[in-house]
Amino acid sequence: MKVLKLNSENQLFIIIIAITISILFLLGYNFFNIRSTEIVLSKKDLCEKCMIEYLQARRYEKNYIIRETVKWIEKVTESIKSANAICKQLEIEIPEISIYYNKFMGLVKVKGKDKDFEMILVPLARKVEEKIDLQKEILNKQIKIFQIQRQVIFIVITLVFLILSVFAILISRKLKVKIKTDKEELKAKEVELEETSMELALGLSENFEVLRQISNGNLTVKAPEESKVEILASLGKIINEMIE
């Protein structure tokens, strides 16, 4: 049973170009995936900072309860402002942070006792911590999804590379068959076939290395555009155009 029938080198060339474009698309998506992961990781770091600022406010609150000095009120205010600013950066809403601060200031004004602070502020504190932890959990799930996507892309790219290699072998064989049919130019064609095969192997190796570098996020590399093999020259130009 014939699975694939190729009538000419042009058909092989078109298939190789289509595969190359698919690889470049996957590599571009992989680069976007890497950038998205970095953004999510930065958001996760901000969540950690928000939690730290809030916990600092809680510690300053306890210092105020013990010492009842104004400087601890100022420190609570600074930490709460910082936590709210981080929430704006993250584009999330945790109104309990402001509610906690307003309740704290209300207790300060009426000179509330230790019991008042504990009964009113502790439940709010738990809600704030739960919301920040929930946001971190959401970001962790996004990171896992991106990691799985990168693994899938890597597997797909590897398979496509193998397919591309098979087509390269088919081209070499097709050239060899064509040479064998021409007895008068057999020796000259054999030399040409060897040179072409070597050029093709080296050229594909160089292009594969460029594609591998791109998959790692390096967009400064360039594929060779000059080659005795027209397919390799065109392939290099296409890769460089896609990089740009």
Side-chain angles (χ1 to χ4, degrees):
M1 182 178 67
K2 293 184 178 180
V3 179
L4 179 64
K5 185 177 181 181
L6 299 170
N7 297 322
S8 67
E9 292 178 22
N10 290 334
Q11 288 177 317
L12 282 171
F13 176 74
I14 291 170
I15 292 171
I16 289 175
I17 294 299
I19 293 173
T20 303
I21 291 172
S22 300
I23 292 174
L24 291 172
F25 173 79
L26 289 171
L27 291 173
Y29 183 80
N30 189 54
F31 182 75
F32 172 78
N33 182 290
I34 292 170
R35 294 295 303 158
S36 298
T37 304
E38 289 174 353
I39 292 169
V40 174
L41 285 171
S42 67
K43 286 185 176 181
K44 186 180 174 183
D45 290 339
L46 285 174
C47 278
E48 295 285 356
K49 288 180 182 178
C50 184
M51 180 68 85
I52 290 169
E53 290 294 341
Y54 180 70
L55 292 176
Q56 284 282 24
R58 297 295 327 277
R59 281 192 281 271
Y60 297 145
E61 168 210 326
K62 290 178 176 62
N63 287 333
Y64 169 76
I65 293 171
I66 296 169
R67 297 174 178 83
E68 294 187 358
T69 53
V70 176
K71 80 169 185 177
W72 298 114
I73 298 174
E74 293 173 352
K75 286 185 175 292
V76 170
T77 302
E78 289 173 5
S79 292
I80 292 300
K81 283 182 179 179
S82 180
N84 279 325
I86 291 171
C87 287
K88 286 182 180 180
Q89 281 184 271
L90 290 168
E91 297 181 349
I92 59 172
E93 293 184 2
I94 306 179
E96 286 83 359
I97 293 178
S98 296
I99 294 171
Y100 160 82
Y101 176 70
N102 292 332
K103 293 287 185 183
F104 170 76
M105 293 303 294
L107 289 169
V108 169
K109 287 178 182 178
V110 299
K111 296 184 178 179
K113 298 180 180 179
D114 293 0
K115 280 186 179 180
D116 298 327
F117 280 92
E118 185 175 351
M119 289 178 62
I120 295 173
L121 299 182
V122 169
L124 280 171
R126 287 175 181 165
K127 287 183 181 179
V128 172
E129 291 170 12
E130 285 174 3
K131 286 203 171 183
I132 295 174
D133 286 335
L134 177 62
Q135 188 64 26
K136 285 164 61 178
E137 187 178 343
I138 291 170
L139 294 172
N140 281 329
K141 287 180 179 178
Q142 289 179 355
I143 292 169
K144 286 181 181 178
I145 290 171
F146 287 140
Q147 288 172 341
I148 292 170
Q149 287 177 344
R150 280 208 301 275
Q151 291 173 354
V152 172
I153 290 170
F154 176 77
I155 292 170
V156 172
I157 289 175
T158 302
L159 291 174
V160 174
F161 278 160
L162 291 173
I163 294 171
L164 195 59
S165 299
V166 170
F167 281 119
I169 293 170
L170 288 175
I171 291 174
S172 297
R173 288 183 178 178
K174 192 172 181 66
L175 289 172
K176 191 173 181 179
V177 169
K178 186 178 180 181
I179 291 168
K180 286 182 178 180
T181 58
D182 194 346
K183 293 182 180 180
E184 294 180 358
E185 300 178 0
L186 181 58
K187 290 183 180 180
K189 291 294 182 180
E190 283 179 327
V191 173
E192 182 183 346
L193 177 60
E194 289 177 0
E195 291 177 354
T196 301
S197 297
M198 181 62 69
E199 182 80 8
L200 186 61
L202 292 173
L204 285 173
S205 178
E206 290 178 358
N207 283 305
F208 286 166
E209 178 60 23
V210 170
L211 293 174
R212 188 184 69 78
Q213 289 288 335
I214 298 171
S215 70
N216 290 330
N218 182 8
L219 297 181
T220 61
V221 292
K222 293 290 182 183
E225 295 185 0
E226 295 183 3
S227 175
K228 295 178 182 179
V229 181
E230 184 180 349
I231 292 176
L232 289 176
S234 300
L235 190 59
K237 290 178 182 178
I238 289 172
I239 291 174
N240 288 333
E241 287 175 2
M242 292 299 293
I243 291 174
E244 292 176 5

